[in-house]
Amino acid sequence: MNRINQKLQETKKILSIYFSAGYPNLNDTVQIIQGLEKNGVDMIEIGLPFSDPLADGPTIQASSTQALHNGMTTQVLFDQLKDIRKTVAIPLVIMGYFNPMLQYGIENFCQKCAEIGIDGLIIPDLPVDVYADEYKATFEKYGLKNIFLITPQTSVERIHFIDSVSDGFIYMVSSASVTGSQTGFGSAQEEYFKRIADMNLKNPQVIGFGINNKETFNQATQFAKGAIIGSAFIQHLTENGTGKIEEFVKAIR
């Protein structure tokens, strides 16, 4: 069974952390992953830096730009992660944009992910219908879960379609804004969380965007299987480097 599916079967709420590979320094990637697992994080999203990250707010954009300046590329990331499964057991997901994957070659990219032990991909700019028609078979051949995003504006019909072609979790974007642009959740967002929960989808939901502390993590996980923290963790890395990961995770739960 895929590590993502195994993790989702556990009774506890999932804490997933996102960071940009190659930030703060090019060779920090593996140390950050190991530090997050050691301190109780359940799943990690490894950001593959891209020059035009549409969904990302200023914090993640800045970290992505710095990572590119540091020399991060698709091949460098694969080289860094080649032995990651010797020390790390939790699910690892690569989150990135479709262009670098297309340039690398979709089959080659998926094959490399499988060799390394990557469990899934999040590709915000790959439409679900294009995936279903053109790439689903390749992803499944290599045992990769493709994780799709929904927002408060996503239609019921599209949510059901996403649910039908998914076999992992659904990334539930908390609002229509970019990452890192909000603090706390209002009644409209809680109504949205509840509305999706009441749809009884076959795939569990994990909420991202706007999760930055214990309060927002607990708010989000009232209605979903887990929550994702990105901008707040990257800000922590910016201010503290890689040495205080334990402090960050303990402040969340």
Side-chain angles (χ1 to χ4, degrees):
M1 183 187 289
N2 184 286
R3 278 174 284 258
I4 292 172
N5 299 105
Q6 287 180 313
K7 183 60 67 175
L8 292 167
Q9 287 183 359
E10 294 179 9
T11 54
K12 68 175 179 177
K13 298 295 187 176
I14 286 173
L15 171 60
S16 182
I17 298 284
Y18 168 95
F19 74 99
S20 299
Y23 180 84
N25 301 298
L26 180 62
N27 294 314
D28 287 340
T29 309
V30 170
Q31 181 185 346
I32 290 170
I33 293 169
Q34 291 170 337
L36 288 170
E37 181 182 50
K38 177 185 172 187
N39 288 292
V41 169
D42 302 298
M43 184 161 57
I44 297 171
E45 293 172 21
I46 304 160
L48 178 59
F50 182 53
S51 56
D52 190 21
L54 301 173
D56 297 325
T59 301
I60 292 178
Q61 279 195 26
S63 69
S64 185
T65 299
Q66 184 59 53
L68 291 171
H69 286 319
N70 290 346
M72 179 52 66
T73 66
T74 304
Q75 189 58 54
V76 168
L77 178 59
F78 284 150
D79 290 344
Q80 289 180 349
L81 297 179
K82 69 182 190 300
D83 295 321
I84 196 68
R85 286 304 176 192
K86 292 179 180 176
T87 57
V88 173
I90 61 174
L92 299 176
V93 176
I94 289 180
M95 183 170 185
Y97 293 86
F98 196 51
N99 187 274
M101 300 176 193
L102 204 56
Q103 288 183 342
Y104 197 86
I106 298 302
E107 179 111 17
N108 290 340
F109 190 92
C110 291
Q111 183 176 4
K112 201 71 184 169
C113 285
E115 287 173 6
I116 289 166
I118 298 299
D119 303 291
L121 299 171
I122 300 172
I123 312 168
D125 59 343
L126 175 60
V128 61
D129 41 357
V130 175
Y131 165 75
D133 291 343
E134 298 182 31
Y135 302 110
K136 189 170 188 280
T138 304
F139 278 50
E140 289 178 347
K141 175 182 173 182
Y142 293 103
L144 294 168
K145 305 298 181 185
N146 197 22
I147 311 302
F148 290 99
L149 285 72
I150 64 170
T151 75
Q153 286 71 41
T154 306
S155 69
V156 169
E157 180 184 38
R158 193 162 186 82
I159 291 170
H160 281 300
F161 180 55
I162 286 170
D163 192 42
S164 72
V165 300
S166 299
D167 179 30
F169 65 91
I170 292 173
Y171 188 133
M172 194 169 153
V173 177
S174 66
S175 73
S177 61
V178 295
T179 57
S181 60
Q182 62 188 55
T183 53
F185 298 122
S187 58
Q189 283 163 312
E190 291 204 348
E191 285 168 19
Y192 158 60
F193 297 162
K194 187 173 187 308
R195 173 170 64 85
I196 301 301
D198 289 345
M199 289 177 72
N200 294 315
L201 302 172
K202 73 180 176 75
N203 290 278
Q205 300 88 58
V206 180
I207 296 175
F209 291 47
I211 320 290
N212 50 32
N213 55 26
K214 186 188 287 283
E215 180 188 3
T216 46
F217 178 79
N218 289 338
Q219 264 187 294
T221 53
Q222 269 186 282
F223 302 94
K225 178 62 182 175
I228 301 158
I229 298 177
S231 296
F233 180 63
I234 289 172
Q235 189 63 39
H236 181 81
L237 290 175
T238 302
E239 294 169 2
N240 301 285
T242 59
K244 294 187 177 179
I245 290 175
E246 179 181 12
E247 183 181 289
F248 181 86
V249 177
K250 284 189 171 173
I252 303 299
R253 66 173 186 193

